[in-house]
mmCIF file of all heavy atoms in Angstrom:
data_model
loop_
_atom_site.group_PDB
_atom_site.id
_atom_site.type_symbol
_atom_site.label_atom_id
_atom_site.label_comp_id
_atom_site.label_asym_id
_atom_site.label_seq_id
_atom_site.Cartn_x
_atom_site.Cartn_y
_atom_site.Cartn_z
ATOM 1 N N SER P 5 84.548 87.767 89.144
ATOM 2 C CA SER P 5 85.390 87.710 90.184
ATOM 3 C C SER P 5 86.668 88.495 90.058
ATOM 4 O O SER P 5 87.289 88.283 89.014
ATOM 5 C CB SER P 5 85.710 86.234 90.713
ATOM 6 O OG SER P 5 86.625 86.382 91.779
ATOM 7 N N ALA P 7 89.239 88.225 92.188
ATOM 8 C CA ALA P 7 90.259 87.521 92.944
ATOM 9 C C ALA P 7 91.538 87.234 92.231
ATOM 10 O O ALA P 7 92.583 87.533 92.617
ATOM 11 C CB ALA P 7 89.681 86.350 93.690
ATOM 12 N N ALA P 12 97.137 88.484 90.538
ATOM 13 C CA ALA P 12 98.279 88.587 89.659
ATOM 14 C C ALA P 12 98.882 90.015 89.723
ATOM 15 O O ALA P 12 100.055 90.098 89.616
ATOM 16 C CB ALA P 12 97.725 88.446 88.228
ATOM 17 N N LEU P 17 103.236 93.771 91.738
ATOM 18 C CA LEU P 17 103.529 94.845 92.577
ATOM 19 C C LEU P 17 104.516 94.586 93.609
ATOM 20 O O LEU P 17 105.114 95.368 94.230
ATOM 21 C CB LEU P 17 102.202 95.415 93.182
ATOM 22 C CG LEU P 17 101.334 96.008 92.166
ATOM 23 C CD1 LEU P 17 99.984 96.538 92.934
ATOM 24 C CD2 LEU P 17 101.838 97.152 91.334
ATOM 25 N N ALA P 18 104.633 93.281 93.936
ATOM 26 C CA ALA P 18 105.614 92.943 95.012
ATOM 27 C C ALA P 18 106.975 93.357 94.596
ATOM 28 O O ALA P 18 107.780 93.727 95.682
ATOM 29 C CB ALA P 18 105.520 91.327 95.123
ATOM 30 N N THR P 23 113.958 99.623 93.889
ATOM 31 C CA THR P 23 115.113 100.015 93.065
ATOM 32 C C THR P 23 116.325 100.151 94.158
ATOM 33 O O THR P 23 116.171 100.109 95.290
ATOM 34 C CB THR P 23 114.933 101.428 92.460
ATOM 35 O OG1 THR P 23 114.565 102.452 93.604
ATOM 36 C CG2 THR P 23 113.698 101.428 91.484
ATOM 37 N N PRO P 33 121.698 112.966 91.311
ATOM 38 C CA PRO P 33 121.519 113.799 90.264
ATOM 39 C C PRO P 33 120.033 113.602 89.725
ATOM 40 O O PRO P 33 119.502 112.607 89.897
ATOM 41 C CB PRO P 33 122.318 113.062 89.170
ATOM 42 C CG PRO P 33 122.619 111.736 89.653
ATOM 43 C CD PRO P 33 122.458 111.727 91.177
ATOM 44 N N THR P 36 115.107 112.553 84.355
ATOM 45 C CA THR P 36 113.743 112.768 83.605
ATOM 46 C C THR P 36 112.804 111.602 84.003
ATOM 47 O O THR P 36 113.266 110.466 83.696
ATOM 48 C CB THR P 36 113.912 113.027 82.246
ATOM 49 O OG1 THR P 36 114.820 114.159 82.113
ATOM 50 C CG2 THR P 36 112.599 113.366 81.545
ATOM 51 N N ALA P 46 104.241 95.755 84.444
ATOM 52 C CA ALA P 46 105.529 95.155 84.393
ATOM 53 C C ALA P 46 106.523 95.983 83.650
ATOM 54 O O ALA P 46 107.716 96.255 84.051
ATOM 55 C CB ALA P 46 105.511 93.733 83.919
ATOM 56 N N ARG P 47 106.192 96.427 82.496
ATOM 57 C CA ARG P 47 106.997 97.300 81.652
ATOM 58 C C ARG P 47 107.256 98.631 82.269
ATOM 59 O O ARG P 47 108.353 99.209 82.128
ATOM 60 C CB ARG P 47 106.351 97.455 80.291
ATOM 61 C CG ARG P 47 107.290 98.254 79.318
ATOM 62 C CD ARG P 47 106.646 98.284 77.852
ATOM 63 N NE ARG P 47 106.229 97.193 77.320
ATOM 64 C CZ ARG P 47 105.386 97.136 76.322
ATOM 65 N NH1 ARG P 47 104.866 98.175 75.810
ATOM 66 N NH2 ARG P 47 105.018 95.902 75.868
ATOM 67 N N SER P 58 111.491 104.680 92.338
ATOM 68 C CA SER P 58 110.734 103.658 92.915
ATOM 69 C C SER P 58 109.283 103.884 92.536
ATOM 70 O O SER P 58 108.861 104.932 92.040
ATOM 71 C CB SER P 58 110.830 103.679 94.485
ATOM 72 O OG SER P 58 110.475 104.842 95.006
ATOM 73 N N GLN P 60 105.028 103.317 93.381
ATOM 74 C CA GLN P 60 103.840 103.158 94.242
ATOM 75 C C GLN P 60 102.648 102.992 93.431
ATOM 76 O O GLN P 60 102.543 103.926 92.588
ATOM 77 C CB GLN P 60 103.754 104.490 95.321
ATOM 78 C CG GLN P 60 102.629 104.094 96.203
ATOM 79 C CD GLN P 60 102.406 105.458 97.141
ATOM 80 O OE1 GLN P 60 102.948 106.373 96.880
ATOM 81 N NE2 GLN P 60 101.630 105.137 98.249
ATOM 82 N N ILE P 63 95.332 100.390 92.406
ATOM 83 C CA ILE P 63 94.449 99.881 91.363
ATOM 84 C C ILE P 63 93.051 100.793 91.355
ATOM 85 O O ILE P 63 92.590 101.098 92.400
ATOM 86 C CB ILE P 63 93.986 98.506 91.603
ATOM 87 C CG1 ILE P 63 95.250 97.505 91.518
ATOM 88 C CG2 ILE P 63 92.919 97.974 90.759
ATOM 89 C CD1 ILE P 63 95.019 96.198 92.042
ATOM 90 N N GLY P 66 88.830 101.238 85.739
ATOM 91 C CA GLY P 66 89.345 101.848 84.541
ATOM 92 C C GLY P 66 88.964 100.821 83.377
ATOM 93 O O GLY P 66 88.522 99.720 83.681
ATOM 94 N N PRO P 69 92.825 97.762 78.832
ATOM 95 C CA PRO P 69 93.212 96.458 79.295
ATOM 96 C C PRO P 69 93.483 96.639 80.835
ATOM 97 O O PRO P 69 93.856 97.594 81.329
ATOM 98 C CB PRO P 69 94.527 96.099 78.670
ATOM 99 C CG PRO P 69 95.085 97.506 78.301
ATOM 100 C CD PRO P 69 93.939 98.409 78.034
ATOM 101 N N ARG P 70 93.264 95.540 81.493
ATOM 102 C CA ARG P 70 93.559 95.390 82.954
ATOM 103 C C ARG P 70 95.029 95.502 83.204
ATOM 104 O O ARG P 70 95.863 95.021 82.437
ATOM 105 C CB ARG P 70 93.029 93.937 83.338
ATOM 106 C CG ARG P 70 93.068 93.700 84.929
ATOM 107 C CD ARG P 70 92.604 92.451 85.294
ATOM 108 N NE ARG P 70 91.292 92.187 84.840
ATOM 109 C CZ ARG P 70 90.652 91.063 84.479
ATOM 110 N NH1 ARG P 70 91.429 89.990 84.537
ATOM 111 N NH2 ARG P 70 89.526 90.995 84.022
ATOM 112 N N VAL P 74 97.140 103.898 83.758
ATOM 113 C CA VAL P 74 96.053 105.074 83.476
ATOM 114 C C VAL P 74 96.504 106.449 83.841
ATOM 115 O O VAL P 74 96.059 107.377 83.256
ATOM 116 C CB VAL P 74 94.719 104.699 83.717
ATOM 117 C CG1 VAL P 74 94.271 103.440 83.097
ATOM 118 C CG2 VAL P 74 94.541 104.532 85.291
ATOM 119 N N SER P 84 113.218 114.989 88.446
ATOM 120 C CA SER P 84 113.175 114.625 89.687
ATOM 121 C C SER P 84 114.485 113.910 90.198
ATOM 122 O O SER P 84 115.139 113.298 89.321
ATOM 123 C CB SER P 84 111.889 113.683 90.068
ATOM 124 O OG SER P 84 111.733 113.448 91.480
ATOM 125 N N THR P 89 109.805 108.644 94.418
ATOM 126 C CA THR P 89 108.660 107.719 94.165
ATOM 127 C C THR P 89 107.763 108.187 93.093
ATOM 128 O O THR P 89 107.356 109.377 93.068
ATOM 129 C CB THR P 89 107.861 107.573 95.351
ATOM 130 O OG1 THR P 89 108.748 106.789 96.299
ATOM 131 C CG2 THR P 89 106.671 106.561 95.088
ATOM 132 N N VAL P 90 107.454 107.438 92.150
ATOM 133 C CA VAL P 90 106.464 107.772 91.082
ATOM 134 C C VAL P 90 105.192 107.037 91.359
ATOM 135 O O VAL P 90 105.312 105.781 91.460
ATOM 136 C CB VAL P 90 106.957 107.486 89.626
ATOM 137 C CG1 VAL P 90 105.999 107.741 88.526
ATOM 138 C CG2 VAL P 90 108.252 108.350 89.178
ATOM 139 N N ALA P 99 85.626 99.138 83.939
ATOM 140 C CA ALA P 99 84.815 100.131 83.347
ATOM 141 C C ALA P 99 84.769 99.952 81.821
ATOM 142 O O ALA P 99 85.589 99.533 81.266
ATOM 143 C CB ALA P 99 85.342 101.483 83.676
#
Side-chain angles (χ1 to χ4, degrees):
S5 170
L17 294 180
T23 60
T36 302
R47 187 180 306 159
S58 61
Q60 179 182 18
I63 299 170
R70 185 179 305 149
V74 295
S84 187
T89 299
V90 176

